[in-house]
Amino acid sequence: MNTFKRIGVFDSGLGGLTVLDAICSANKGLSIVYFGDTARVPYGSRTPETIIHYAEQDVRFLLSKGVEAIVVACGTVSAIALAELRKRFSVPIVGVIEPACDAAAKVTESNHICVIGTEATVHSQAYSDYINRMYPHLNVSGIGCPMFVPLIENGFREDDPITQMIVERYLSPIRNTDIDTLILGCTHYPFLSNVIQKTLPGVRLIDIGVTLSEVVSQTISLPNNISDNFVEYCFSDRETGFKRFDTEHLKNLPNGPIKSINIESF
Ligand code: DGL
């Protein structure tokens, strides 16, 4: 196990805060730099080339802050760019896909899993490729839900009728099927977990932030002379959504400085 003094966590926007929250809930003594690329969200409707380019800039920014390991708190970047990032940077980099699939494979009883994510994620087949390789007895379906991220970034809450209509539109086709496990394959989606659960009663939801945070706890040992978590929150544009969010889903985030950075310069 490695000991890191400082880790970096990034996402295209606010979704990675659900991962950060899970990491902070499971660990104490963390020093973290969070980066949300609110100037360029959403990533999920972009080409792989653009997503890789953005992700490289995000990593370069975090390295400039002295982090020693990187958590890719974004399903889209994990699906499209993780291999490339690992080739180009020498620090340890962890992504969300494998832990989520392993957790889903463990709990499914019907052996039919569905992954929801951005268009780029579902199109990449990164989740289904991994499941087919590791768990060939499982069926895996995928649904792209491109309107979820803009809803969340624009502050539409779960109890808003528009949110409920859109969730119903994307997910009602799999209600009452043999799918018993749903991977929320985008880190924004836990903000919609209550309405998703209501739409698909009885289906187990896999939160990729929670499953990733378990990997972080197992692989990253932190200096144990600090008892609180320290987080510096950096955004490339507005962070108003962050202030607006939402103590129900983000219970474990410490207060910390909020900074604005110019991501194009990295
Ligand atoms: N949180 C990102 C993910 O996990 C959202 C992607 C986007 O910006 O479209 O995929």
Side-chain angles (χ1 to χ4, degrees), residues 11-12 15-16 41-45 73-77 118 121 149 185-188 208:
D11 178 44
S12 59
V41 68
Y43 283 12
S45 47
C74 177
T76 306
V77 172
T118 65
T121 297
V149 170
C186 166
T187 56
H188 281 71
I208 59 180

Side-chain angles (χ1 to χ4, degrees), residues 8 16 20 59 126 140 173-174 231 253:
L20 184 62
V59 171
V140 54
I174 59 166
V231 180
L253 295 188

Side-chain angles (χ1 to χ4, degrees), residues 28-73:
K28 289 284 165 272
L30 295 164
S31 174
I32 300 180
V33 183
Y34 180 82
F35 175 60
D37 195 1
T38 48
R40 305 188 296 194
V41 68
Y43 283 12
S45 47
R46 318 239 178 219
T47 62
E49 293 72 25
T50 302
I51 294 166
I52 291 169
H53 173 63
Y54 286 175
E56 282 175 5
Q57 288 183 305
D58 301 343
V59 171
R60 277 200 290 274
F61 163 66
L62 289 172
L63 292 175
S64 79
K65 302 288 288 182
V67 307
E68 298 162 325
I70 304 249
V71 174
V72 179

